[in-house]
Structure formats: C-alpha cells, structure tokens
Amino acid sequence: MKHGKRYTAAAAAVEHGKAYDPAEAFGKIQEIATAKFDETIEAHIKLGVDPRQADQQVRGTVVLPNGTGKKVRVLVIAKGEKADIAEKAGADIVGAEEIIAKIQNENYLDFDVVITSPDMMGQLGRVARILGPKGLMPSPKSGTITQDIAKAIADTKAGKVEYRVDKTAIVHCIIGKKSFGADKLKENFDTLMDAIVKAKPAAAKGTYLKSVYVTPAMGPGVKVNVRA
C-alpha cells in the first residue's frame, strides 16, 4: 500500500518495534497527528481470549473521564412518564411506535445511541435486523435497556463508550480527540484499560493483554508498553 508524504513522515517518527510507555506514547500521538482536522484517537487492544467461546467474551461499558469529544445523538424509545423524563434529561429524539415504524419503513438512522425501557423491547424487536448490524440495538450489557432512563442519557452524553472484543480477539475503542492533549488522552486510556483488565474472563488462560496500540485516525499506530 502506498501512503502520502504526511503519513510517511509520521510513520518515520515512530520507532519501529518500540513499545512506548503510555505517557510517551500520547506525546508521540500529539507529534504525528498532523491532519487539518481534530483527529479521533483510538485504542486497539489484542487480548488472549478465544471469542468463539461464550465464557471468554469481553464486553462492557465505561465512562471516560474526559469524554470522547464527539457529540452523541441519543434516541430514547419510551412512552408516558419515561418519555417525559427522557426529554427533560436531554435526549435528542424521543418517541415510541412512530419512531420504530420510521426506522422500519424509512430506514431512519439519524442517531448514534438507542436507549429504551424494558417494556418497549417487544416492539423494538421489529427493527433488530436494521439496528443490530449498525451496533445500535439496545442491550442490558451496554446499559441501554434500563428503567433509569435519565442516568443512561447522562452517562452517554458524558462520554460512555462500549468496548467489545471482535472475532479476531481485538477491542477497538475511541478514547478522545487530539485536541484533548496527552494528559487527558492518557487519563481516558487508563480508565479504559482498567475496565478491560477487570473484565478478564475466568476462562482466559495465559497472557491476557497481548498487545496495545494507540493511533490517530489518519496516522500510524504507536505501540504501548503493556507492562507499564
């Protein structure tokens, strides 16, 4: 694959094969994230688990202390009092059957997160095939099926992210924007890593954290010292 001059220069600034301590890694990210926009910074964590086994799944949510830097559009599917609570709590879109019908008939997907109350899940199942592949289907594990609608909205707006191991045993997760600076990015990263370490399945054997990389959206990855 051919890369442009900017990417090539950024890659040259990262020492090949070196595992940087976290603070040093995020200093390097500030150096190599040179796009003309505020680049999203991601963490990619290779785990020593077998995702094919039900008892080795790694999935959960965590609220990043400095948020993600991304404006999140929240859709709440609820009725009655819970709908009123959702509107007061700052949900961007609130609805019930009419929103479900709009998703089903018009493929309406102008939102980033769907939160719902348990009583609406029977009807929401009608659009599971639309929401599921987009990662938008609510679930108890992600905290998006809940009786406490207000808290779910507050957490989501504050920077709650979901981490989930994929079929190649890697967790991909946003940890902020370049404009956060190295210290805030590291704080978000530490919070995410603490959550993933605590989520280690009992059935996982051997080395749990295989490798960790942090990367700007338009640049090369920087390997992080796992032991550190």
Side-chain angles (χ1 to χ4, degrees):
M1 181 182 292
K2 292 183 179 180
H3 293 291
K5 291 181 179 179
R6 188 194 59 77
Y7 183 97
T8 301
V14 179
E15 188 175 333
H16 181 69
K18 178 178 178 179
Y20 293 81
D21 286 346
E24 189 180 8
F26 286 106
K28 184 62 67 174
I29 287 291
Q30 294 297 303
E31 178 185 341
I32 65 174
T34 57
K36 293 181 179 180
F37 59 92
D38 191 9
E39 291 185 64
T40 296
I41 311 301
E42 302 172 348
H44 304 276
I45 303 108
K46 175 73 172 179
L47 300 178
V49 298
D50 183 354
R52 296 171 299 178
Q53 306 302 318
D55 60 355
Q56 294 192 45
Q57 295 297 310
V58 178
R59 181 180 182 182
T61 60
V62 62
V63 177
L64 301 179
N66 301 299
T68 64
K70 179 182 177 182
K71 183 179 179 181
V72 181
R73 296 164 298 172
V74 176
L75 163 63
V76 173
I77 296 180
K79 294 193 292 186
E81 182 183 1
K82 288 186 172 60
D84 294 337
I85 290 171
E87 290 180 353
K88 292 177 182 177
D92 299 277
I93 311 158
V94 180
E97 291 89 351
E98 74 282 3
I99 292 291
I100 294 173
K102 190 173 182 179
I103 295 170
Q104 186 174 27
N105 300 327
E106 302 175 25
N107 203 39
Y108 174 68
L109 293 170
D110 193 20
F111 44 83
D112 302 301
V113 175
V114 182
I115 296 170
T116 189
S117 52
D119 60 293
M120 294 299 297
M121 280 305 297
Q123 298 181 58
L124 198 57
R126 289 159 37 199
V127 292
R129 291 184 179 181
I130 298 173
L131 298 180
K134 300 289 186 180
L136 294 170
M137 192 65 186
S139 73
K141 288 187 177 180
S142 66
T144 47
I145 300 176
T146 178
Q147 295 286 7
D148 195 344
I149 297 289
K151 183 178 186 304
I153 294 170
D155 286 348
T156 300
K157 293 283 189 178
K160 183 175 77 171
V161 294
E162 181 178 6
Y163 59 87
R164 183 176 187 178
V165 68
D166 67 12
K167 62 182 180 181
T168 63
I170 300 176
V171 173
H172 308 274
C173 196
I174 293 172
I175 55 173
K177 297 281 189 177
K178 180 198 173 181
S179 59
F180 284 16
D183 291 342
K184 287 186 177 180
L185 285 170
K186 181 181 178 298
E187 189 176 0
N188 278 359
F189 172 79
D190 288 344
T191 300
L192 172 66
M193 291 303 299
D194 284 346
I196 291 174
V197 168
K198 289 175 182 176
K200 179 182 178 181
K205 306 300 180 184
T207 303
Y208 180 54
L209 295 177
K210 293 283 190 178
S211 66
V212 180
Y213 284 81
V214 292
T215 177
M218 302 296 290
V222 178
K223 188 174 184 179
V224 180
N225 185 342
V226 174
R227 292 184 178 181

